[in-house]
């Protein structure tokens, strides 16, 4: 699969700062470093204000400024060419019209012209993750001139695995990317840039937990480290004889 993605334009659409690392960070690092992919990350939400009872951006002004610095530091470690940062309310995506999120994704897609989009699993516990998935699917409706041929979703530790056990939308990966130690190290170092998001073990966002998860998926496919995904859509264009 890595060879099929060589030199592709990839857009990664996530809900919060750090989501661009937690699920796909190792894979994105390898795609950028070894396979010459041009990758733009879109971060839709500001990622902090849900820690107050009411959204108060003035109260969190200094933290939000620092958060943006953390985003840039993480970007450099992973190798994203660019990052688009938006201001949808943290853990309150359901308080805005889905169409507003769709329009944001559509505008970014039109400007960047990706061939492939990675985004959140549609069954996550986190409401912002689910809305992000719905926005991507809506923005990439398979119309005749749609340029995005491939949509891939990823798990987000501390959001995907915490969904109720009887929910029918569980993450069931059918696509795996082997990653190396350098890729995993970049992912973990990038996550450590997020001083308001990183956690201590056994939290899923801790360095040890991220390594264990990479080992878990590596074991599943016979490698040391891997990341798991779900292939949602992949359109092959074949010539048709008249």
């Amino acid at each position: 699969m890595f060879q099929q993605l060589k030199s592709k334009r990839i857009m990664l659409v996530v809900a919060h700062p750090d989501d661009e690392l937690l699920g796909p960070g190792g894979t994105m690092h390898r795609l950028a470093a070894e396979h010459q992919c041009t990758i733009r990350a879109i971060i839709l939400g500001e990622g902090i204000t849900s820690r107050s009872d009411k959204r108060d951006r003035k109260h969190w002004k200094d933290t939000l400024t620092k958060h943006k610095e953390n985003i840039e530091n993480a970007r450099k470690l992973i190798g994203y060419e660019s990052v688009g940062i938006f201001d949808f309310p943290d853990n309150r995506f359901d308080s805005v019209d889905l169409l507003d999120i769709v329009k944001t994704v559509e505008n970014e897609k039109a400007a960047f012209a990706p061939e492939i989009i990675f985004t959140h699993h549609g069954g996550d516990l986190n409401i912002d993750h689910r809305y992000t998935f719905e926005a991507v699917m809506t923005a990439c409706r398979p119309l005749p001139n749609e340029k995005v041929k491939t949509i891939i979703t990823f798990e987000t530790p501390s959001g995907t695995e915490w969904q109720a056990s009887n929910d029918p939308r569980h993450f069931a990966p059918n696509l795996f990317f082997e990653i190396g130690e350098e890729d995993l190290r970049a992912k973990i170092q990038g996550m450590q840039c997020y001083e308001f998001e990183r956690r201590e073990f056994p939290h899923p966002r801790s360095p040890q937990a991220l390594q264990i998860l990479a080992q878990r998926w590596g074991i599943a496919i016979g490698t040391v480290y891997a990341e798991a995904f779900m292939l949602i859509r992949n359109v092959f264009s074949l010539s048709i004889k008249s």
Side-chain angles (χ1 to χ4, degrees), residues 122-141:
D124 278 7
L125 178 64
N126 188 287
I127 186 67
D128 295 355
H129 297 181
R130 299 202 301 271
Y131 265 58
T132 299
F133 171 79
E134 293 294 338
V136 167
M137 294 305 296
T138 305
C140 299
R141 298 181 298 278

Side-chain angles (χ1 to χ4, degrees), residues 127-200:
I127 186 67
D128 295 355
H129 297 181
R130 299 202 301 271
Y131 265 58
T132 299
F133 171 79
E134 293 294 338
V136 167
M137 294 305 296
T138 305
C140 299
R141 298 181 298 278
L143 298 172
N145 295 319
E146 177 56 54
K147 302 300 183 184
V148 175
K149 302 300 183 184
T150 304
I151 300 174
I152 297 169
T153 62
F154 52 82
E155 63 180 339
T156 309
S158 74
T160 307
E161 76 278 28
W162 287 353
Q163 182 57 278
S165 61
N166 62 346
D167 190 284
R169 301 165 298 171
H170 272 288
F171 182 69
N174 57 8
L175 176 65
F176 300 86
F177 288 91
E178 180 182 3
I179 62 172
E181 186 172 345
E182 184 177 347
D183 306 311
L184 179 60
R185 183 167 56 250
K187 174 179 179 170
I188 291 173
Q189 289 176 345
M191 188 60 213
Q192 290 301 100
C193 290
Y194 282 108
E195 55 194 278
F196 309 115
E197 305 296 342
R198 63 195 184 203
R199 297 290 185 272
E200 297 297 323

